[in-house]
Amino acid sequence: QMLSIQDESIAPPALTNALAQVRKGAEAMPTHQLMQQLNDQWGDQDEWKDRIDVEERPFAAASIGQVHRGTLLTTEYQKKVAVKVQYPGVANSIESDLSNLSMLVKASGLSPPGLFLDNVIRVGREELKVECDYRREAVNYHRFQQLISSDPGLVVDRFVVPGVIEEFSTDKILVTEYVRGGTIDKVIDLDQDERNRIGKAILRLTMLELFVWRFMQTDPNWGNFLYDVRTRTTYLIDFGAARDYDEEFVRGYLNIVKANADQDEKALFDESIRMGFLTGEENSMMLEAHKMSGYCLGEPFQSYEPYNFKESRITSRISEHGAVFLKHRLTPPPEEVYTLHRKLAGAYNLCIKIGAIISC
């Protein structure tokens, strides 16, 4: 997923196009398996077929489930809904799949010491297990809906979270209001002002999630942002990968962002050691890579002048320091960073993709 949303300076167009197709969906489960999952969660078909109609063919699929169009038959105007159905047994397969992945990567010698593969696998395991809990995701939907609808700026920018249909939502099925729209990267064909508006709103949302709400949806997959070109509304969906950040971490990370924007080397290193990004024993190559990648990260916030994300090559310049990190890093980063940096990279890559030129 992360490779499929990189800018073309990191991954070649042919690769990103192929991976984008993979990102859009996985192989659908057979109809009999779908019906078994629906019956397991909702009871015998006779108990629910007069209340909700579910199309057999999914219109979207992902790593742990697939999404079907549905219709609530008990409402006066037959409300359209999206029915996300988890693949049977997927939650039980996570442990074995990730253990096999770890063994394969280690055996192949593709795991450099600075990757700290065991930490990556552990964080990934915990995140995937959480994503399998659709009741928890329903709670996240409600929480984000309240936060976003309470922010005047996001309301003006027409950012909307669909409602959850509690009656049909279970541990392994999540039913929400059906919304129209294409993946947000398609706005590349719109005028510059509209692309700037969307890019600025996405970045502002990301900053609110981290520094104000301390609660973030950490999956930057562009399919989680649906743009309706008719109404210029952006719908936010899929809150399985959402997490809280504690106040101490957020305060420290804000200090690092400020030090990067100010290009204050001493403040950057002091806070990085305090938070556990560095040990203080790193060699000069690692310290330089840490500093320069940080300065790149803070670059959009150095002034109030419009920042041209596409011309900046910001994500590719940050990535240039990756080889040094993988070879010379002495300690894994704080575990919060794995999800946070994925989200920040996704926000930056979206602004690059749509050619946003905005004041940050």
Side-chain angles (χ1 to χ4, degrees):
Q1 285 184 356
M2 281 306 300
L3 278 174
S4 70
I5 62 174
Q6 298 299 321
D7 67 277
E8 293 180 359
S9 61
I10 294 177
L15 177 60
T16 55
N17 289 338
L19 291 172
Q21 294 303 313
V22 176
R23 187 187 80 227
K24 289 177 183 177
E27 185 176 347
M29 70 176 87
T31 300
H32 74 273
Q33 197 173 49
L34 167 67
M35 297 309 298
Q36 180 181 342
Q37 190 77 321
L38 295 179
N39 290 334
D40 285 346
Q41 296 297 303
W42 289 343
D44 188 78
Q45 189 173 359
D46 291 337
E47 299 178 22
W48 55 265
K49 67 178 182 180
D50 293 331
R51 296 187 294 133
I52 184 171
D53 177 65
V54 180
E55 294 183 5
E56 291 185 1
R57 185 176 181 84
F59 71 90
S63 54
I64 65 171
Q66 61 191 38
V67 190
H68 299 253
R69 291 183 181 88
T71 305
L72 297 184
L73 304 176
T74 55
T75 56
E76 182 179 349
Y77 55 94
Q78 297 198 340
K79 187 181 185 71
K80 300 298 181 182
V81 294
V83 182
K84 182 161 74 170
V85 183
Q86 191 172 125
Y87 297 128
V90 69
N92 297 327
S93 70
I94 290 173
E95 187 70 37
S96 60
D97 287 350
L98 289 179
S99 295
N100 290 338
L101 173 64
S102 177
M103 184 169 56
L104 177 64
V105 173
K106 289 178 179 178
S108 67
L110 295 176
S111 175
L115 178 61
F116 293 96
L117 179 65
D118 288 341
N119 287 62
V120 175
I121 295 292
R122 177 176 55 80
V123 172
R125 178 185 296 113
E126 292 170 358
E127 181 177 344
L128 285 170
K129 285 183 176 179
V130 166
E131 286 194 46
C132 288
D133 184 353
Y134 282 2
R135 289 195 187 277
R136 179 183 178 278
E137 183 175 356
V139 172
N140 292 341
Y141 259 91
H142 288 302
R143 192 170 170 187
F144 267 102
Q145 190 176 48
Q146 183 178 20
L147 289 168
I148 287 171
S149 64
S150 299
D151 183 85
L154 294 174
V155 172
V156 169
D157 276 318
R158 298 180 292 282
F159 273 47
V160 175
V161 176
V164 173
I165 311 301
E166 297 286 354
E167 178 185 2
F168 292 99
S169 294
T170 69
D171 293 342
K172 295 180 172 58
I173 296 177
L174 180 64
V175 182
T176 60
E177 296 172 322
Y178 180 81
V179 295
R180 296 183 59 174
T183 57
I184 195 139
D185 55 308
K186 300 299 189 295
V187 305
I188 190 173
D189 297 321
L190 301 181
D191 61 80
Q192 186 68 53
D193 287 344
E194 181 66 359
R195 286 183 282 134
N196 289 348
R197 181 187 72 81
I198 294 168
K200 187 159 189 168
I202 291 289
L203 272 184
R204 182 172 178 272
L205 171 62
T206 303
M207 297 302 108
L208 283 172
E209 288 178 274
L210 177 59
F211 295 119
V212 180
W213 305 336
R214 302 202 309 273
F215 179 57
M216 176 176 275
Q217 192 274 55
T218 60
D219 183 357
N221 185 339
W222 291 334
N224 296 337
F225 302 84
L226 302 180
Y227 180 82
D228 186 347
V229 69
R230 302 167 307 147
T231 62
R232 299 200 168 190
T233 299
T234 300
Y235 294 101
L236 310 180
I237 63 171
D238 197 340
F239 295 96
R243 60 159 298 162
D244 291 283
Y245 295 95
D246 66 52
E247 188 173 359
E248 181 180 357
F249 171 82
V250 170
R251 186 185 303 114
Y253 198 83
L254 180 59
N255 290 337
I256 285 181
V257 172
K258 185 178 186 305
N260 285 326
D262 296 340
Q263 297 196 355
D264 185 336
E265 181 178 310
K266 183 179 185 306
L268 171 60
F269 287 152
D270 287 348
E271 193 64 33
S272 295
I273 291 172
R274 189 192 72 79
M275 291 191 69
F277 285 93
L278 300 172
T279 66
E281 302 298 323
E282 283 77 11
N283 61 30
S284 59
M285 291 179 63
M286 178 61 202
L287 292 176
E288 182 68 12
H290 183 77
K291 179 181 73 174
M292 296 311 299
S293 62
Y295 285 1
C296 284
L297 181 70
E299 197 173 84
F301 307 100
Q302 288 178 0
S303 76
Y304 292 104
E305 292 299 312
Y307 186 81
N308 190 322
F309 276 86
K310 190 165 188 176
E311 290 188 358
S312 73
R313 296 180 56 255
I314 184 169
T315 51
S316 61
R317 287 191 289 123
I318 292 174
S319 297
E320 288 170 1
H321 302 288
V324 177
F325 277 78
L326 293 176
K327 185 175 182 179
H328 296 286
R329 183 159 51 191
L330 299 181
T331 185
E335 95 172 24
E336 295 92 339
V337 166
Y338 290 98
T339 51
L340 172 57
H341 282 184
R342 181 179 66 191
K343 177 62 175 278
L344 292 177
Y348 279 15
N349 280 323
L350 176 60
C351 288
I352 291 171
K353 178 72 173 179
I354 67 177
I357 304 173
I358 54 178
S359 300
C360 302

